[in-house]
Amino acid sequence: MDIFDNKKGGFTIMSGKTDVHGGFGQGVLDLNAVSSVIIDGDEAYIDMGALHAKSSVEKGIKWTTNKEEVPNGKPYWLVWVTVDRNEAGPYYAGATACYMEIDREARRGYKILADHVNRMDYSMKRRIMLSDLSEKEKAALKKLLVENNAAMYENSTEELKQSLS
């Protein structure tokens, strides 16, 4: 899989564009370096729809911040993964996990949107926040990152590797 080809579902890589103008759109967040991963049990997969809360598991769901309103919810994790480049090449620079529960049958879901937004921001700031994931979920995420591009995983920080081991 060519990680530089967004059409194939790989992690997006920041563009080489360095010229920034001070006109319209100044200060707007650039999400080109952020990808979204859904963890469903022991399976992790890239779903770029999550950037707009339209991943395959989120579509058609009415959200609540009250967990009791989703008694039959299935747990999912949304992981924001930010990539960057260093002298060794591209690497996974930030990774933060957000919890949600979804009852597909009832079309109801629990998540705290502010937490999802803040954690996306933390990932973009190159933070690693994966301690809430279970060992099974960490293994699924690590498998996805390594299978996507082992060199990117090897170039990543020790903090990320320790978080996933």
Side-chain angles (χ1 to χ4, degrees):
M1 169 185 288
D2 182 1
I3 59 171
F4 298 98
D5 184 354
N6 293 337
K7 294 176 182 141
K8 293 185 180 181
F11 287 93
T12 55
I13 302 295
M14 288 190 334
S15 68
K17 184 178 177 184
T18 58
D19 59 325
V20 179
H21 63 81
F24 179 78
Q26 181 180 12
V28 175
L29 290 177
D30 181 7
L31 298 178
N32 285 334
V34 180
S35 296
S36 45
V37 173
I38 301 291
I39 301 177
D40 179 358
D42 58 358
E43 179 189 8
Y45 55 90
I46 299 168
D47 190 332
M48 293 303 289
L51 283 170
H52 301 286
K54 294 183 188 288
S55 67
S56 58
V57 297
E58 294 173 294
K59 283 184 182 174
I61 300 298
K62 182 174 180 187
W63 297 99
T64 180
T65 57
N66 183 353
K67 219 176 197 182
E68 286 78 40
E69 292 179 33
V70 190
N72 299 318
K74 179 180 176 185
Y76 291 90
W77 286 92
L78 168 58
V79 181
W80 301 112
V81 179
T82 302
V83 295
D84 201 350
R85 293 178 192 267
N86 61 19
E87 59 282 345
Y91 70 104
Y92 302 114
T96 56
C98 315
Y99 184 74
M100 58 186 168
E101 285 185 21
I102 299 171
D103 182 344
R104 300 276 333 145
E105 190 174 307
R107 299 180 69 139
R108 298 283 292 165
Y110 161 81
K111 73 176 173 181
I112 300 175
L113 184 59
D115 185 50
H116 285 233
V117 172
N118 287 334
R119 289 188 182 232
M120 178 196 287
D121 180 58
Y122 296 155
S123 177
M124 292 172 65
K125 291 177 178 172
R126 312 310 190 246
R127 294 185 188 167
I128 307 296
M129 298 174 68
L130 302 172
S131 60
D132 293 334
L133 297 176
S134 71
E135 294 305 314
K136 176 175 73 167
E137 293 154 347
K138 288 178 184 180
L141 178 59
K142 180 179 179 179
K143 180 181 178 207
L144 175 70
L145 297 177
V146 171
E147 286 179 355
N148 180 70
N149 188 309
M152 280 179 68
Y153 183 78
E154 286 305 313
N155 290 342
S156 297
T157 65
E158 285 304 312
E159 181 183 8
L160 174 69
K161 294 173 188 174
Q162 290 293 326
S163 294
L164 293 175
S165 60

PDB file of all heavy atoms in Angstrom, residues 98-129:
ATOM      1  N   CYS A  98     -10.297   7.909  21.815  1.00  0.00           N
ATOM      2  CA  CYS A  98     -11.561   8.444  22.327  1.00  0.00           C
ATOM      3  C   CYS A  98     -12.583   7.305  22.390  1.00  0.00           C
ATOM      4  O   CYS A  98     -12.724   6.548  21.441  1.00  0.00           O
ATOM      5  CB  CYS A  98     -12.126   9.516  21.404  1.00  0.00           C
ATOM      6  SG  CYS A  98     -10.958  10.714  20.828  1.00  0.00           S
ATOM      7  N   TYR A  99     -13.309   7.253  23.473  1.00  0.00           N
ATOM      8  CA  TYR A  99     -14.287   6.187  23.690  1.00  0.00           C
ATOM      9  C   TYR A  99     -15.669   6.578  23.174  1.00  0.00           C
ATOM     10  O   TYR A  99     -16.062   7.742  23.220  1.00  0.00           O
ATOM     11  CB  TYR A  99     -14.381   5.890  25.189  1.00  0.00           C
ATOM     12  CG  TYR A  99     -15.293   4.752  25.527  1.00  0.00           C
ATOM     13  CD1 TYR A  99     -14.913   3.443  25.270  1.00  0.00           C
ATOM     14  CD2 TYR A  99     -16.543   4.979  26.089  1.00  0.00           C
ATOM     15  CE1 TYR A  99     -15.766   2.384  25.578  1.00  0.00           C
ATOM     16  CE2 TYR A  99     -17.385   3.933  26.407  1.00  0.00           C
ATOM     17  CZ  TYR A  99     -16.991   2.642  26.147  1.00  0.00           C
ATOM     18  OH  TYR A  99     -17.823   1.607  26.444  1.00  0.00           O
ATOM     19  N   MET A 100     -16.395   5.586  22.687  1.00  0.00           N
ATOM     20  CA  MET A 100     -17.810   5.776  22.350  1.00  0.00           C
ATOM     21  C   MET A 100     -18.506   4.421  22.425  1.00  0.00           C
ATOM     22  O   MET A 100     -17.874   3.378  22.312  1.00  0.00           O
ATOM     23  CB  MET A 100     -17.984   6.419  20.970  1.00  0.00           C
ATOM     24  CG  MET A 100     -17.380   5.690  19.814  1.00  0.00           C
ATOM     25  SD  MET A 100     -17.547   6.698  18.316  1.00  0.00           S
ATOM     26  CE  MET A 100     -16.474   5.810  17.211  1.00  0.00           C
ATOM     27  N   GLU A 101     -19.803   4.460  22.672  1.00  0.00           N
ATOM     28  CA  GLU A 101     -20.639   3.257  22.672  1.00  0.00           C
ATOM     29  C   GLU A 101     -21.765   3.468  21.679  1.00  0.00           C
ATOM     30  O   GLU A 101     -22.357   4.554  21.639  1.00  0.00           O
ATOM     31  CB  GLU A 101     -21.239   2.989  24.058  1.00  0.00           C
ATOM     32  CG  GLU A 101     -20.255   2.449  25.045  1.00  0.00           C
ATOM     33  CD  GLU A 101     -20.905   2.078  26.373  1.00  0.00           C
ATOM     34  OE1 GLU A 101     -22.143   1.868  26.405  1.00  0.00           O
ATOM     35  OE2 GLU A 101     -20.172   2.013  27.371  1.00  0.00           O
ATOM     36  N   ILE A 102     -22.062   2.422  20.910  1.00  0.00           N
ATOM     37  CA  ILE A 102     -23.087   2.554  19.875  1.00  0.00           C
ATOM     38  C   ILE A 102     -24.015   1.350  19.919  1.00  0.00           C
ATOM     39  O   ILE A 102     -23.570   0.207  19.959  1.00  0.00           O
ATOM     40  CB  ILE A 102     -22.444   2.673  18.475  1.00  0.00           C
ATOM     41  CG1 ILE A 102     -21.567   3.928  18.417  1.00  0.00           C
ATOM     42  CG2 ILE A 102     -23.511   2.704  17.384  1.00  0.00           C
ATOM     43  CD1 ILE A 102     -20.715   4.045  17.182  1.00  0.00           C
ATOM     44  N   ASP A 103     -25.320   1.632  19.915  1.00  0.00           N
ATOM     45  CA  ASP A 103     -26.352   0.601  19.776  1.00  0.00           C
ATOM     46  C   ASP A 103     -26.929   0.776  18.374  1.00  0.00           C
ATOM     47  O   ASP A 103     -27.772   1.641  18.139  1.00  0.00           O
ATOM     48  CB  ASP A 103     -27.430   0.783  20.844  1.00  0.00           C
ATOM     49  CG  ASP A 103     -28.508  -0.291  20.792  1.00  0.00           C
ATOM     50  OD1 ASP A 103     -28.606  -1.009  19.767  1.00  0.00           O
ATOM     51  OD2 ASP A 103     -29.264  -0.395  21.771  1.00  0.00           O
ATOM     52  N   ARG A 104     -26.442  -0.019  17.429  1.00  0.00           N
ATOM     53  CA  ARG A 104     -26.853   0.113  16.024  1.00  0.00           C
ATOM     54  C   ARG A 104     -28.359  -0.116  15.861  1.00  0.00           C
ATOM     55  O   ARG A 104     -29.013   0.578  15.087  1.00  0.00           O
ATOM     56  CB  ARG A 104     -26.095  -0.875  15.126  1.00  0.00           C
ATOM     57  CG  ARG A 104     -24.621  -0.724  15.112  1.00  0.00           C
ATOM     58  CD  ARG A 104     -24.004   0.295  14.183  1.00  0.00           C
ATOM     59  NE  ARG A 104     -24.721   0.630  12.998  1.00  0.00           N
ATOM     60  CZ  ARG A 104     -24.726   1.853  12.472  1.00  0.00           C
ATOM     61  NH1 ARG A 104     -24.079   2.833  13.049  1.00  0.00           N
ATOM     62  NH2 ARG A 104     -25.374   2.109  11.377  1.00  0.00           N
ATOM     63  N   GLU A 105     -28.883  -1.088  16.573  1.00  0.00           N
ATOM     64  CA  GLU A 105     -30.299  -1.419  16.444  1.00  0.00           C
ATOM     65  C   GLU A 105     -31.186  -0.252  16.878  1.00  0.00           C
ATOM     66  O   GLU A 105     -32.163   0.082  16.215  1.00  0.00           O
ATOM     67  CB  GLU A 105     -30.614  -2.670  17.269  1.00  0.00           C
ATOM     68  CG  GLU A 105     -31.988  -3.230  17.013  1.00  0.00           C
ATOM     69  CD  GLU A 105     -32.197  -4.547  17.730  1.00  0.00           C
ATOM     70  OE1 GLU A 105     -31.362  -5.451  17.553  1.00  0.00           O
ATOM     71  OE2 GLU A 105     -33.196  -4.663  18.461  1.00  0.00           O
ATOM     72  N   ALA A 106     -30.839   0.369  17.989  1.00  0.00           N
ATOM     73  CA  ALA A 106     -31.621   1.502  18.495  1.00  0.00           C
ATOM     74  C   ALA A 106     -31.201   2.828  17.849  1.00  0.00           C
ATOM     75  O   ALA A 106     -31.852   3.845  18.073  1.00  0.00           O
ATOM     76  CB  ALA A 106     -31.474   1.602  20.011  1.00  0.00           C
ATOM     77  N   ARG A 107     -30.124   2.805  17.096  1.00  0.00           N
ATOM     78  CA  ARG A 107     -29.576   3.992  16.432  1.00  0.00           C
ATOM     79  C   ARG A 107     -29.252   5.100  17.433  1.00  0.00           C
ATOM     80  O   ARG A 107     -29.482   6.281  17.186  1.00  0.00           O
ATOM     81  CB  ARG A 107     -30.517   4.499  15.347  1.00  0.00           C
ATOM     82  CG  ARG A 107     -30.754   3.462  14.256  1.00  0.00           C
ATOM     83  CD  ARG A 107     -31.672   3.978  13.221  1.00  0.00           C
ATOM     84  NE  ARG A 107     -30.970   5.035  12.485  1.00  0.00           N
ATOM     85  CZ  ARG A 107     -31.029   5.189  11.194  1.00  0.00           C
ATOM     86  NH1 ARG A 107     -31.737   4.382  10.467  1.00  0.00           N
ATOM     87  NH2 ARG A 107     -30.367   6.177  10.616  1.00  0.00           N
ATOM     88  N   ARG A 108     -28.697   4.684  18.587  1.00  0.00           N
ATOM     89  CA  ARG A 108     -28.319   5.613  19.643  1.00  0.00           C
ATOM     90  C   ARG A 108     -26.845   5.383  19.972  1.00  0.00           C
ATOM     91  O   ARG A 108     -26.354   4.256  19.892  1.00  0.00           O
ATOM     92  CB  ARG A 108     -29.148   5.387  20.911  1.00  0.00           C
ATOM     93  CG  ARG A 108     -30.629   5.600  20.744  1.00  0.00           C
ATOM     94  CD  ARG A 108     -31.038   7.035  20.701  1.00  0.00           C
ATOM     95  NE  ARG A 108     -30.819   7.651  22.008  1.00  0.00           N
ATOM     96  CZ  ARG A 108     -30.808   8.956  22.207  1.00  0.00           C
ATOM     97  NH1 ARG A 108     -30.987   9.778  21.216  1.00  0.00           N
ATOM     98  NH2 ARG A 108     -30.622   9.446  23.407  1.00  0.00           N
ATOM     99  N   GLY A 109     -26.189   6.450  20.371  1.00  0.00           N
ATOM    100  CA  GLY A 109     -24.786   6.327  20.727  1.00  0.00           C
ATOM    101  C   GLY A 109     -24.393   7.292  21.821  1.00  0.00           C
ATOM    102  O   GLY A 109     -25.018   8.340  22.007  1.00  0.00           O
ATOM    103  N   TYR A 110     -23.363   6.908  22.548  1.00  0.00           N
ATOM    104  CA  TYR A 110     -22.821   7.737  23.614  1.00  0.00           C
ATOM    105  C   TYR A 110     -21.410   8.155  23.230  1.00  0.00           C
ATOM    106  O   TYR A 110     -20.579   7.322  22.863  1.00  0.00           O
ATOM    107  CB  TYR A 110     -22.777   6.952  24.931  1.00  0.00           C
ATOM    108  CG  TYR A 110     -21.831   7.551  25.945  1.00  0.00           C
ATOM    109  CD1 TYR A 110     -22.214   8.633  26.723  1.00  0.00           C
ATOM    110  CD2 TYR A 110     -20.542   7.051  26.097  1.00  0.00           C
ATOM    111  CE1 TYR A 110     -21.344   9.201  27.641  1.00  0.00           C
ATOM    112  CE2 TYR A 110     -19.658   7.613  27.013  1.00  0.00           C
ATOM    113  CZ  TYR A 110     -20.059   8.681  27.776  1.00  0.00           C
ATOM    114  OH  TYR A 110     -19.190   9.245  28.671  1.00  0.00           O
ATOM    115  N   LYS A 111     -21.159   9.450  23.282  1.00  0.00           N
ATOM    116  CA  LYS A 111     -19.798   9.968  23.183  1.00  0.00           C
ATOM    117  C   LYS A 111     -19.819  11.398  23.696  1.00  0.00           C
ATOM    118  O   LYS A 111     -20.865  12.050  23.735  1.00  0.00           O
ATOM    119  CB  LYS A 111     -19.239   9.899  21.764  1.00  0.00           C
ATOM    120  CG  LYS A 111     -19.794  10.896  20.765  1.00  0.00           C
ATOM    121  CD  LYS A 111     -19.055  10.746  19.430  1.00  0.00           C
ATOM    122  CE  LYS A 111     -19.673  11.601  18.353  1.00  0.00           C
ATOM    123  NZ  LYS A 111     -18.981  11.444  17.080  1.00  0.00           N
ATOM    124  N   ILE A 112     -18.663  11.856  24.075  1.00  0.00           N
ATOM    125  CA  ILE A 112     -18.516  13.240  24.503  1.00  0.00           C
ATOM    126  C   ILE A 112     -17.742  13.944  23.400  1.00  0.00           C
ATOM    127  O   ILE A 112     -16.528  13.772  23.268  1.00  0.00           O
ATOM    128  CB  ILE A 112     -17.818  13.326  25.873  1.00  0.00           C
ATOM    129  CG1 ILE A 112     -18.664  12.583  26.906  1.00  0.00           C
ATOM    130  CG2 ILE A 112     -17.588  14.786  26.269  1.00  0.00           C
ATOM    131  CD1 ILE A 112     -18.054  12.469  28.267  1.00  0.00           C
ATOM    132  N   LEU A 113     -18.461  14.694  22.592  1.00  0.00           N
ATOM    133  CA  LEU A 113     -17.885  15.330  21.417  1.00  0.00           C
ATOM    134  C   LEU A 113     -16.699  16.225  21.771  1.00  0.00           C
ATOM    135  O   LEU A 113     -15.682  16.231  21.068  1.00  0.00           O
ATOM    136  CB  LEU A 113     -18.946  16.118  20.655  1.00  0.00           C
ATOM    137  CG  LEU A 113     -18.489  16.759  19.350  1.00  0.00           C
ATOM    138  CD1 LEU A 113     -17.972  15.714  18.378  1.00  0.00           C
ATOM    139  CD2 LEU A 113     -19.628  17.545  18.730  1.00  0.00           C
ATOM    140  N   ALA A 114     -16.803  16.954  22.854  1.00  0.00           N
ATOM    141  CA  ALA A 114     -15.700  17.837  23.254  1.00  0.00           C
ATOM    142  C   ALA A 114     -14.423  17.034  23.499  1.00  0.00           C
ATOM    143  O   ALA A 114     -13.326  17.474  23.146  1.00  0.00           O
ATOM    144  CB  ALA A 114     -16.082  18.633  24.494  1.00  0.00           C
ATOM    145  N   ASP A 115     -14.557  15.843  24.078  1.00  0.00           N
ATOM    146  CA  ASP A 115     -13.404  14.980  24.313  1.00  0.00           C
ATOM    147  C   ASP A 115     -12.797  14.537  22.983  1.00  0.00           C
ATOM    148  O   ASP A 115     -11.571  14.521  22.821  1.00  0.00           O
ATOM    149  CB  ASP A 115     -13.814  13.767  25.150  1.00  0.00           C
ATOM    150  CG  ASP A 115     -12.634  12.909  25.531  1.00  0.00           C
ATOM    151  OD1 ASP A 115     -11.634  13.455  26.030  1.00  0.00           O
ATOM    152  OD2 ASP A 115     -12.710  11.678  25.326  1.00  0.00           O
ATOM    153  N   HIS A 116     -13.639  14.190  22.015  1.00  0.00           N
ATOM    154  CA  HIS A 116     -13.146  13.770  20.701  1.00  0.00           C
ATOM    155  C   HIS A 116     -12.393  14.909  20.021  1.00  0.00           C
ATOM    156  O   HIS A 116     -11.332  14.693  19.437  1.00  0.00           O
ATOM    157  CB  HIS A 116     -14.311  13.295  19.828  1.00  0.00           C
ATOM    158  CG  HIS A 116     -14.819  11.948  20.215  1.00  0.00           C
ATOM    159  ND1 HIS A 116     -14.951  10.921  19.314  1.00  0.00           N
ATOM    160  CD2 HIS A 116     -15.232  11.441  21.403  1.00  0.00           C
ATOM    161  CE1 HIS A 116     -15.414   9.848  19.923  1.00  0.00           C
ATOM    162  NE2 HIS A 116     -15.598  10.142  21.194  1.00  0.00           N
ATOM    163  N   VAL A 117     -12.934  16.111  20.114  1.00  0.00           N
ATOM    164  CA  VAL A 117     -12.289  17.276  19.491  1.00  0.00           C
ATOM    165  C   VAL A 117     -10.969  17.597  20.193  1.00  0.00           C
ATOM    166  O   VAL A 117      -9.943  17.820  19.537  1.00  0.00           O
ATOM    167  CB  VAL A 117     -13.232  18.501  19.510  1.00  0.00           C
ATOM    168  CG1 VAL A 117     -12.509  19.763  19.052  1.00  0.00           C
ATOM    169  CG2 VAL A 117     -14.452  18.239  18.645  1.00  0.00           C
ATOM    170  N   ASN A 118     -10.974  17.582  21.511  1.00  0.00           N
ATOM    171  CA  ASN A 118      -9.751  17.876  22.258  1.00  0.00           C
ATOM    172  C   ASN A 118      -8.666  16.848  21.988  1.00  0.00           C
ATOM    173  O   ASN A 118      -7.496  17.190  21.835  1.00  0.00           O
ATOM    174  CB  ASN A 118     -10.037  17.956  23.764  1.00  0.00           C
ATOM    175  CG  ASN A 118     -10.782  19.213  24.139  1.00  0.00           C
ATOM    176  OD1 ASN A 118     -10.706  20.233  23.455  1.00  0.00           O
ATOM    177  ND2 ASN A 118     -11.524  19.147  25.229  1.00  0.00           N
ATOM    178  N   ARG A 119      -9.058  15.599  21.912  1.00  0.00           N
ATOM    179  CA  ARG A 119      -8.058  14.561  21.669  1.00  0.00           C
ATOM    180  C   ARG A 119      -7.525  14.608  20.236  1.00  0.00           C
ATOM    181  O   ARG A 119      -6.377  14.252  19.995  1.00  0.00           O
ATOM    182  CB  ARG A 119      -8.601  13.197  22.046  1.00  0.00           C
ATOM    183  CG  ARG A 119      -8.718  13.102  23.566  1.00  0.00           C
ATOM    184  CD  ARG A 119      -9.052  11.740  24.050  1.00  0.00           C
ATOM    185  NE  ARG A 119      -9.197  11.764  25.488  1.00  0.00           N
ATOM    186  CZ  ARG A 119      -8.561  10.933  26.306  1.00  0.00           C
ATOM    187  NH1 ARG A 119      -7.731  10.048  25.824  1.00  0.00           N
ATOM    188  NH2 ARG A 119      -8.742  11.004  27.600  1.00  0.00           N
ATOM    189  N   MET A 120      -8.349  15.037  19.285  1.00  0.00           N
ATOM    190  CA  MET A 120      -7.829  15.243  17.935  1.00  0.00           C
ATOM    191  C   MET A 120      -6.761  16.335  17.987  1.00  0.00           C
ATOM    192  O   MET A 120      -5.688  16.194  17.386  1.00  0.00           O
ATOM    193  CB  MET A 120      -8.929  15.647  16.951  1.00  0.00           C
ATOM    194  CG  MET A 120      -8.388  15.918  15.558  1.00  0.00           C
ATOM    195  SD  MET A 120      -9.505  16.808  14.470  1.00  0.00           S
ATOM    196  CE  MET A 120     -10.693  15.568  14.093  1.00  0.00           C
ATOM    197  N   ASP A 121      -7.051  17.396  18.715  1.00  0.00           N
ATOM    198  CA  ASP A 121      -6.092  18.485  18.871  1.00  0.00           C
ATOM    199  C   ASP A 121      -4.809  17.980  19.532  1.00  0.00           C
ATOM    200  O   ASP A 121      -3.708  18.322  19.102  1.00  0.00           O
ATOM    201  CB  ASP A 121      -6.727  19.607  19.696  1.00  0.00           C
ATOM    202  CG  ASP A 121      -5.793  20.781  19.911  1.00  0.00           C
ATOM    203  OD1 ASP A 121      -5.322  21.360  18.907  1.00  0.00           O
ATOM    204  OD2 ASP A 121      -5.527  21.115  21.080  1.00  0.00           O
ATOM    205  N   TYR A 122      -4.929  17.176  20.576  1.00  0.00           N
ATOM    206  CA  TYR A 122      -3.751  16.632  21.249  1.00  0.00           C
ATOM    207  C   TYR A 122      -2.916  15.790  20.291  1.00  0.00           C
ATOM    208  O   TYR A 122      -1.690  15.846  20.305  1.00  0.00           O
ATOM    209  CB  TYR A 122      -4.140  15.791  22.469  1.00  0.00           C
ATOM    210  CG  TYR A 122      -4.821  16.550  23.577  1.00  0.00           C
ATOM    211  CD1 TYR A 122      -5.670  15.897  24.457  1.00  0.00           C
ATOM    212  CD2 TYR A 122      -4.628  17.920  23.760  1.00  0.00           C
ATOM    213  CE1 TYR A 122      -6.300  16.580  25.484  1.00  0.00           C
ATOM    214  CE2 TYR A 122      -5.256  18.609  24.778  1.00  0.00           C
ATOM    215  CZ  TYR A 122      -6.092  17.929  25.638  1.00  0.00           C
ATOM    216  OH  TYR A 122      -6.722  18.609  26.652  1.00  0.00           O
ATOM    217  N   SER A 123      -3.581  14.990  19.458  1.00  0.00           N
ATOM    218  CA  SER A 123      -2.852  14.185  18.482  1.00  0.00           C
ATOM    219  C   SER A 123      -2.094  15.085  17.510  1.00  0.00           C
ATOM    220  O   SER A 123      -0.930  14.836  17.190  1.00  0.00           O
ATOM    221  CB  SER A 123      -3.814  13.267  17.715  1.00  0.00           C
ATOM    222  OG  SER A 123      -3.121  12.545  16.720  1.00  0.00           O
ATOM    223  N   MET A 124      -2.756  16.153  17.057  1.00  0.00           N
ATOM    224  CA  MET A 124      -2.106  17.085  16.138  1.00  0.00           C
ATOM    225  C   MET A 124      -0.921  17.786  16.801  1.00  0.00           C
ATOM    226  O   MET A 124      -0.001  18.229  16.121  1.00  0.00           O
ATOM    227  CB  MET A 124      -3.116  18.122  15.638  1.00  0.00           C
ATOM    228  CG  MET A 124      -4.177  17.510  14.740  1.00  0.00           C
ATOM    229  SD  MET A 124      -5.510  18.644  14.332  1.00  0.00           S
ATOM    230  CE  MET A 124      -4.647  19.863  13.370  1.00  0.00           C
ATOM    231  N   LYS A 125      -0.934  17.855  18.126  1.00  0.00           N
ATOM    232  CA  LYS A 125       0.177  18.453  18.870  1.00  0.00           C
ATOM    233  C   LYS A 125       1.215  17.404  19.243  1.00  0.00           C
ATOM    234  O   LYS A 125       2.057  17.634  20.101  1.00  0.00           O
ATOM    235  CB  LYS A 125      -0.352  19.155  20.122  1.00  0.00           C
ATOM    236  CG  LYS A 125      -1.165  20.392  19.781  1.00  0.00           C
ATOM    237  CD  LYS A 125      -1.758  21.039  21.007  1.00  0.00           C
ATOM    238  CE  LYS A 125      -2.513  22.296  20.605  1.00  0.00           C
ATOM    239  NZ  LYS A 125      -3.265  22.862  21.734  1.00  0.00           N
ATOM    240  N   ARG A 126       1.126  16.244  18.605  1.00  0.00           N
ATOM    241  CA  ARG A 126       2.120  15.167  18.726  1.00  0.00           C
ATOM    242  C   ARG A 126       2.117  14.502  20.101  1.00  0.00           C
ATOM    243  O   ARG A 126       3.128  14.046  20.584  1.00  0.00           O
ATOM    244  CB  ARG A 126       3.537  15.645  18.402  1.00  0.00           C
ATOM    245  CG  ARG A 126       3.707  16.468  17.124  1.00  0.00           C
ATOM    246  CD  ARG A 126       3.072  15.791  15.934  1.00  0.00           C
ATOM    247  NE  ARG A 126       3.415  16.441  14.681  1.00  0.00           N
ATOM    248  CZ  ARG A 126       2.537  17.080  13.909  1.00  0.00           C
ATOM    249  NH1 ARG A 126       1.278  17.183  14.278  1.00  0.00           N
ATOM    250  NH2 ARG A 126       2.909  17.583  12.759  1.00  0.00           N
ATOM    251  N   ARG A 127       0.948  14.403  20.719  1.00  0.00           N
ATOM    252  CA  ARG A 127       0.838  13.728  22.009  1.00  0.00           C
ATOM    253  C   ARG A 127       0.425  12.281  21.796  1.00  0.00           C
ATOM    254  O   ARG A 127      -0.248  11.951  20.825  1.00  0.00           O
ATOM    255  CB  ARG A 127      -0.174  14.419  22.911  1.00  0.00           C
ATOM    256  CG  ARG A 127       0.258  15.814  23.306  1.00  0.00           C
ATOM    257  CD  ARG A 127      -0.694  16.408  24.289  1.00  0.00           C
ATOM    258  NE  ARG A 127      -0.388  17.815  24.516  1.00  0.00           N
ATOM    259  CZ  ARG A 127      -1.189  18.645  25.139  1.00  0.00           C
ATOM    260  NH1 ARG A 127      -2.342  18.224  25.623  1.00  0.00           N
ATOM    261  NH2 ARG A 127      -0.843  19.900  25.297  1.00  0.00           N
ATOM    262  N   ILE A 128       0.781  11.447  22.753  1.00  0.00           N
ATOM    263  CA  ILE A 128       0.381  10.042  22.756  1.00  0.00           C
ATOM    264  C   ILE A 128      -0.504   9.838  23.981  1.00  0.00           C
ATOM    265  O   ILE A 128      -0.081  10.072  25.114  1.00  0.00           O
ATOM    266  CB  ILE A 128       1.616   9.101  22.838  1.00  0.00           C
ATOM    267  CG1 ILE A 128       2.638   9.424  21.741  1.00  0.00           C
ATOM    268  CG2 ILE A 128       1.175   7.643  22.802  1.00  0.00           C
ATOM    269  CD1 ILE A 128       2.167   9.209  20.333  1.00  0.00           C
ATOM    270  N   MET A 129      -1.763   9.431  23.750  1.00  0.00           N
ATOM    271  CA  MET A 129      -2.712   9.196  24.845  1.00  0.00           C
ATOM    272  C   MET A 129      -3.492   7.914  24.538  1.00  0.00           C
ATOM    273  O   MET A 129      -4.584   7.951  23.996  1.00  0.00           O
ATOM    274  CB  MET A 129      -3.674  10.381  24.988  1.00  0.00           C
ATOM    275  CG  MET A 129      -2.990  11.688  25.334  1.00  0.00           C
ATOM    276  SD  MET A 129      -4.115  13.105  25.333  1.00  0.00           S
ATOM    277  CE  MET A 129      -5.152  12.732  26.735  1.00  0.00           C
TER     278      MET A 129
END
